[in-house]
Amino acid sequence: MVLLSKLKVVTLRLCYSPSSCIVASKFKRFVVGDVKPSHFPLQNLLLLRHFTSEISETHHDFTVNYLINSCGLSPEGAISASKWVKLGSPKTADSVLSFLKNNGFSETQISYIVRKHSPVLNSNPEKTLLPKLEFFASLGLSEGDLAKTLAYEPNLLFTSLEKRIAPTYDFLRSLLSQKNVVSVLRCGSWIFTEGHSKKVAPNIEVLRDSGIPQSCISVLLAYHPKVFMRKPKELGELVDEVKQMGFNLQKSNSVIAIYALCGNNRSVWNRSRQLYKRWGWSEDDVLSAFRRNPRCMTMSENKLMLAMDFLVNEMGWS
């Protein structure tokens, strides 16, 4: 252990020498890759490996403790997040946390951002984070709404403003009002991280080719952007299904029907169909109601049961 102590002293001195980077690099290469048994005894090699392992563990322990004490992560969450970030000192991380707090992020939101994207702690607030916040704020998002949106999708903070976010905004703005672009940002922020060209633009073409007018497409995009996460082929099949159910694709309720049958919403649709049938509805009754008002199939089970109970048992309707 005497040799180990001497190595620590030497290494500390190297950190303060003018050529510290060069020496440290050579030292690391010498320890890890250039050791020859004839030039370096095995006992010394083992001690050096222990020393470098000790340094690594020290940095890891600091990172985990910082994530717990300064970011509010649980021990399990901190260990998981520490796989993606290494903190040598608290300086940069402290500046990131201060920046987020000063821009309206709550402690809960900051903790969530760090848990989902821990490398944020090594970012430059002025160069990386501020330009995104200024851009989204210019769209009309309040400080609270912006913090909520970015906490839900922290990857937005690391998506290229020039190559991805701004072009996607321009594309959406060509189709929607400024207010509805903000609605897309709130409900479908993934569009700004993924970009519009991969799924959104092709899916818009699918809807147009099916005869759905742009006004209806814009409603669907503004209020139900998750529909555009589907693969174009899947969306095309969904449009055909809605058409076979008797919907007029020229009417706005057709796109609400597409939303009601899309993805996880289909399980809600099937559950609603069974609930109505428990009250005596036939399959034709269900489809007739769906064509008149597609949203009647998207309500919660409790809301449907309360409504049917009131209309049938209290109002005496069939």
Side-chain angles (χ1 to χ4, degrees):
M1 295 310 291
V2 174
L3 175 59
L4 180 58
S5 298
K6 289 181 179 179
L7 285 169
K8 289 184 178 180
V9 172
V10 171
T11 304
L12 288 172
R13 288 176 180 171
L14 288 175
C15 292
Y16 292 97
S17 67
S19 58
S20 60
C21 293
I22 297 174
V23 175
S25 176
K26 289 183 178 179
F27 176 74
K28 181 179 179 182
R29 191 164 61 250
F30 175 70
V31 170
V32 176
D34 295 343
V35 177
K36 295 181 180 179
S38 59
H39 297 157
F40 208 61
L42 178 60
Q43 181 182 8
N44 292 355
L45 174 60
L46 294 175
L47 287 172
L48 284 171
R49 285 181 175 174
H50 173 79
F51 176 43
T52 54
S53 175
E54 192 174 85
I55 294 175
S56 177
E57 289 176 4
T58 300
H59 281 286
H60 180 263
D61 289 344
F62 173 79
T63 300
V64 171
N65 288 333
Y66 187 91
L67 291 170
I68 294 172
N69 298 324
S70 299
C71 303
L73 272 64
S74 67
E76 295 79 8
I79 292 173
S80 177
S82 68
K83 296 176 182 178
W84 310 104
V85 63
K86 303 300 177 188
L87 303 177
S89 74
K91 184 178 179 180
T92 301
D94 283 349
S95 69
V96 170
L97 298 183
S98 296
F99 175 85
L100 293 174
K101 289 177 183 177
N102 293 337
N103 281 277
F105 290 80
S106 68
E107 291 184 359
T108 301
Q109 290 170 335
I110 293 173
S111 178
Y112 189 75
I113 289 173
V114 173
R115 188 165 65 250
K116 289 189 69 176
H117 198 97
S118 55
V120 68
L121 296 174
N122 280 331
S123 62
N124 185 317
E126 299 300 321
K127 292 183 178 180
T128 303
L129 307 181
L130 182 59
K132 317 293 172 48
L133 265 63
E134 290 179 337
F135 177 83
F136 290 126
S138 72
L139 304 184
L141 274 171
S142 67
E143 190 177 77
D145 285 341
L146 180 55
K148 184 178 180 180
T149 300
L150 294 176
Y152 177 77
E153 185 57 79
N155 285 332
L156 279 171
L157 292 169
F158 302 94
T159 301
S160 173
L161 181 59
E162 294 76 17
K163 296 180 180 179
R164 184 68 55 82
I165 295 175
T168 298
Y169 166 78
D170 291 338
F171 174 81
L172 294 174
R173 189 66 182 86
S174 70
L175 302 171
L176 305 172
S177 67
Q178 178 82 355
K179 180 181 178 181
N180 284 340
V181 171
V182 172
S183 177
V184 173
L185 178 60
R186 286 177 180 147
C187 304
S189 52
W190 63 270
I191 291 176
F192 286 87
T193 58
E194 185 177 272
H196 63 280
S197 59
K198 186 176 181 180
K199 292 180 181 176
V200 178
N203 278 327
I204 287 176
E205 289 304 312
V206 168
L207 297 176
R208 285 174 177 168
D209 292 344
S210 300
I212 298 176
Q214 183 59 51
S215 59
C216 295
I217 296 173
S218 295
V219 168
L220 187 62
L221 180 58
Y223 297 103
H224 304 295
K226 288 185 178 180
V227 170
F228 293 83
M229 292 177 67
R230 316 305 301 178
K231 294 179 180 179
K233 181 181 179 181
E234 293 175 354
L235 184 58
E237 293 171 350
L238 193 54
V239 172
D240 291 340
E241 181 181 0
V242 167
K243 186 176 182 180
Q244 291 173 6
M245 286 181 168
F247 282 89
N248 182 351
L249 298 183
Q250 296 290 317
K251 300 295 181 68
S252 60
N253 66 347
S254 64
V255 294
I256 306 303
I258 291 172
Y259 162 73
L261 291 168
C262 186
N264 294 334
N265 292 341
R266 185 176 291 272
S267 63
V268 177
W269 194 95
N270 288 328
R271 182 208 64 203
S272 299
R273 178 175 62 177
Q274 295 304 317
L275 283 175
Y276 286 128
K277 285 186 175 182
R278 283 164 53 186
W279 287 93
W281 287 26
S282 66
E283 185 71 16
D284 288 340
D285 291 332
V286 172
L287 292 177
S288 177
F290 184 49
R291 284 192 294 268
R292 292 185 182 187
N293 187 354
R295 295 192 187 280
C296 74
M297 302 296 285
T298 64
M299 301 296 104
S300 69
E301 179 178 354
N302 184 58
K303 189 169 185 177
L304 291 185
M305 292 298 288
L306 287 174
M308 293 300 291
D309 179 66
F310 174 78
L311 293 172
V312 175
N313 295 326
E314 295 191 34
M315 296 294 293
W317 295 2
S318 62

